[in-house]
Structures are given as C-alpha cells and as structure tokens.
C-alpha cells in the first residue's frame, strides 16, 4: 500500500531571500561614486588664498626713558617720517653736550702740541700720540651719544597704519619694550595653497585672478615665488604672487588690507613640463648597443 506524503510549505523564516548586503551595496556604490565624480569635476583650478603685507613691524624702545608724547593710536594712518612718539631726553642731551665739549678740548690740545712741535718746542712723540688718542676717544663718545639722541623722536619708517599701541604718554619704558605695531598695506602679497600636482602646470610669471571675500571684487595677480616644500599630510604647496592693481585703482570702500581671504583661480597649462623632471631627451642619449 502506497502512502502519499504531502509536502508542507516552508515557513517564511526558512525561505531564501536577498541579503542586506546584496540590496544595499549597489545603492551605496552608486551614491558614493556620483558625488565623487561631481566633486572632481567642480574642483577646477581654484585654491584658497589670503593677503599678506610686505612690511609689518613691531617697533621697540631703544632708550630707557619717559615718553612725553604719543601722537598715534590704533587705526591711524601715517606717512614716512611722521613723528609717532617722543621721549624725554634731557639727560641724554646733557651728556651729548659734555661729550662735544670734551671733543673740542681734545682737538685744541692736539692742535697746540702740533703748533709747539713745529716751533721747535719740547714735545715728545708720546705726548703727540696721547693727544691724538684723546681726540679719537672723545669723538667716538660724542658720536655714540649723538646716535642715541636720534632715538628721542620715534618716526615712521614707511607709509602705513598703526595696528596696535602698547604705550601711553608719561610712561617710562625700558630698552626693548614694545611701543607700536605698524603695517604697510600699499604692497600686498597673495599666498595660495595649491595641490602639489599643479607644480607641473605652473611657472613663475604666470597670471592668475584673486577674488577677495571682503570686497567681493576680483584682482589680477602675478605668480612670483613657489615655496619648495610639500606638506606631507595635505600634499599641498604654498605659492606667492603680487597684486597687480595699484593704489589708484582701489577706492577706500574696497581697500585691500593684510589678512583678507578669498580664492585664487589659475589657468593651468597641461602642456608644461615638470620642473623637477629630467629635461634630457632620451632619444638624444648615445646608444651603447653594439659598442665594441
């Protein structure tokens, strides 16, 4: 007698089904590749940039004296040679007057010995040498004091602006104490951070454009220097250029100052050669095959 066995359907938990990875991976791969492609296409030839002043100095005191005047504050504009501050140099000027008197006395003593010797007087060679040495010493002392007196008036070394002020009138300062920080914004450098792969496509003297965020304007610039160091982490290189626009082309409303940032756009030349590559023509090399 044959028995008929009815096949029971498998429970839903035992039925074959697509794994999560099989469903998710194609979608994830498509979502990952699409943005990467668009990002590579939009990267273009732009690089972050900022403006640096050619002259930015911290003036320090050359004297240990009291300040009688401080004529500028942070943000003030000045011209080269303008008086910025003045020291009380009463004692220093008195020392200079004394040194000048000593120099004049030493000169008269030497002249008297020379005249006496010419008239046949009893003047030894040692006395002549001593007179000359005293005059030289007095002259050197007066020259040092005159140079120190030139620091009594602190004058601007260039045209620019005051960044910070660390002093007040009637304040006594020591030698080396910070006084004023000055910046010259007439000549600005553009510093850009570019991928190291661009080195083969750029050359000194290339023109590029800089868009400054603070002014919203574009300026022409010329590439002047390439810093020969590649950052090992970011694989980037610093390049430095010069803004071509002169002061007459920039209004006060769009004044360029140090620290402004923006974006530099380069025209990359795909046909240029790598500056670090061997420029010798392999075809020109002498062949050694068949040499005796």
């Amino acid at each position: 007698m044959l028995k008929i066995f009815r096949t029971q359907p498998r429970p839903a938990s035992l039925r074959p089904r697509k794994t999560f990875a099989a469903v998710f991976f194609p979608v994830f791969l498509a979502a990952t590749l699409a943005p990467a492609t668009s990002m590579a296409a939009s990267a273009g030839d732009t690089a972050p940039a900022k403006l640096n002043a050619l002259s930015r100095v911290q003036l320090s005191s050359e004297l240990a004296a009291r300040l009688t005047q401080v004529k500028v504050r942070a943000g003030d504009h000045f011209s080269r040679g303008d008086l910025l501050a003045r020291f009380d140099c009463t004692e220093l000027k008195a020392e200079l007057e004394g040194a000048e008197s000593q120099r004049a006395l030493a000169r008269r003593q030497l002249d008297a010995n020379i005249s006496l010797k010419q008239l046949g007087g009893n003047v030894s060679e040692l006395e002549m040498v001593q007179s000359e040495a005293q005059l030289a010493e007095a002259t050197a002392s007066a020259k040092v004091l005159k140079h120190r007196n030139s620091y009594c008036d602190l004058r601007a070394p260039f045209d620019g602006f005051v960044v910070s002020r660390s002093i007040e009138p009637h304040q006594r300062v020591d030698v080396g104490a910070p006084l004023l920080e000055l910046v010259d914004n007439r000549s600005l450098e553009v510093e850009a951070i570019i991928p190291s792969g661009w080195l083969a496509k750029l050359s000194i003297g290339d023109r590029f454009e800089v868009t400054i965020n603070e002014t919203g304007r574009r300026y022409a610039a010329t590439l002047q220097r390439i810093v020969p160091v590649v950052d090992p982490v970011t694989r980037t290189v610093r390049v430095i250029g010069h803004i071509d626009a002169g002061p007459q082309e920039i209004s006060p409303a769009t004044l360029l100052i140090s620290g402004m940032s923006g974006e530099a756009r380069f025209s990359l030349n795909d046909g240029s050669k790598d500056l670090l590559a061997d420029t010798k023509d392999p075809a020109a090399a002498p062949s050694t095959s068949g040499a005796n």
Side-chain angles (χ1 to χ4, degrees):
M1 181 175 180
L2 298 175
K3 293 184 179 180
I4 300 173
F5 296 91
R6 183 176 296 176
T7 304
Q8 298 292 332
R10 291 185 180 182
S13 60
L14 299 179
R15 295 176 186 174
R17 57 182 178 180
K18 296 181 179 180
T19 63
F20 174 78
V23 176
F24 176 74
F25 183 73
V27 178
F28 172 78
L29 184 61
T32 303
L33 293 180
T37 304
S38 61
M39 287 177 61
S42 62
D45 50 4
T46 61
K50 67 174 182 176
L51 299 181
N52 296 326
L54 287 180
S55 300
R56 181 167 180 169
V57 297
Q58 174 73 59
L59 298 183
S60 301
S61 176
E62 300 287 347
L63 302 174
R66 182 177 61 86
L67 287 159
T68 58
Q69 287 181 307
V70 181
K71 300 181 70 66
V72 292
R73 293 186 175 274
D76 285 349
H77 177 266
F78 55 83
S79 299
R80 181 177 181 178
D82 285 352
L83 179 65
L84 304 178
R86 178 169 287 162
F87 290 89
D88 181 5
C89 292
T90 304
E91 296 180 2
L92 196 59
K93 290 178 179 179
E95 291 178 6
L96 177 60
E97 291 176 358
E100 291 286 357
S101 298
Q102 291 295 326
R103 185 179 68 84
L105 179 61
R107 166 58 67 184
R108 292 181 63 182
Q109 182 66 42
L110 178 61
D111 291 342
N113 288 339
I114 293 175
S115 298
L116 184 60
K117 187 175 182 179
Q118 290 175 348
L119 295 175
N122 188 17
V123 180
S124 65
E125 188 66 26
L126 179 60
E127 290 177 333
M128 292 295 298
V129 172
Q130 288 178 341
S131 298
E132 293 174 352
Q134 290 174 355
L135 176 59
E137 183 180 358
T139 301
S141 178
K143 185 180 296 184
V144 170
L145 288 172
K146 186 176 181 180
H147 179 69
R148 292 184 61 193
N149 270 269
S150 67
Y151 296 131
C152 293
D153 290 344
L154 182 65
R155 298 191 177 274
F158 48 76
D159 297 345
F161 294 86
V162 179
V163 177
S164 62
R165 164 176 154 171
S166 306
I167 51 175
E168 295 295 334
H170 312 296
Q171 176 183 349
R172 182 176 178 83
V173 297
D174 295 325
V175 176
L179 303 177
L180 301 167
E181 185 176 1
L182 312 178
V183 64
D184 180 6
N185 285 320
R186 295 175 303 163
S187 299
L188 293 172
E189 288 185 336
V190 183
E191 179 181 332
I193 309 296
I194 66 170
S196 58
W198 289 10
L199 288 177
K201 304 175 182 180
L202 291 175
S203 301
I204 301 298
D206 285 353
R207 302 291 298 276
F208 62 97
E209 285 187 346
V210 182
T211 302
I212 301 301
N213 297 331
E214 286 79 1
T215 64
R217 295 183 59 185
R218 290 185 298 178
Y219 305 87
T222 303
L223 184 62
Q224 290 185 327
R225 303 192 303 277
I226 298 176
V227 181
V229 177
V230 177
D231 190 301
V233 178
T234 62
R235 308 304 302 172
T236 55
V237 179
R238 293 167 52 214
V239 296
I240 299 172
H242 178 71
I243 292 281
D244 295 337
Q248 69 278 2
E249 302 178 35
I250 303 173
S251 64
T254 57
L255 177 66
L256 295 178
I257 60 177
S258 176
M260 286 184 173
S261 60
E263 187 178 67
R265 180 176 296 276
F266 296 87
S267 297
L268 301 181
N269 182 10
D270 294 334
S272 60
K273 296 181 179 180
D274 190 347
L275 298 178
L276 303 180
D278 188 0
T279 57
K280 294 181 179 180
D281 186 1
S287 175
T288 58
S289 61
N292 293 328

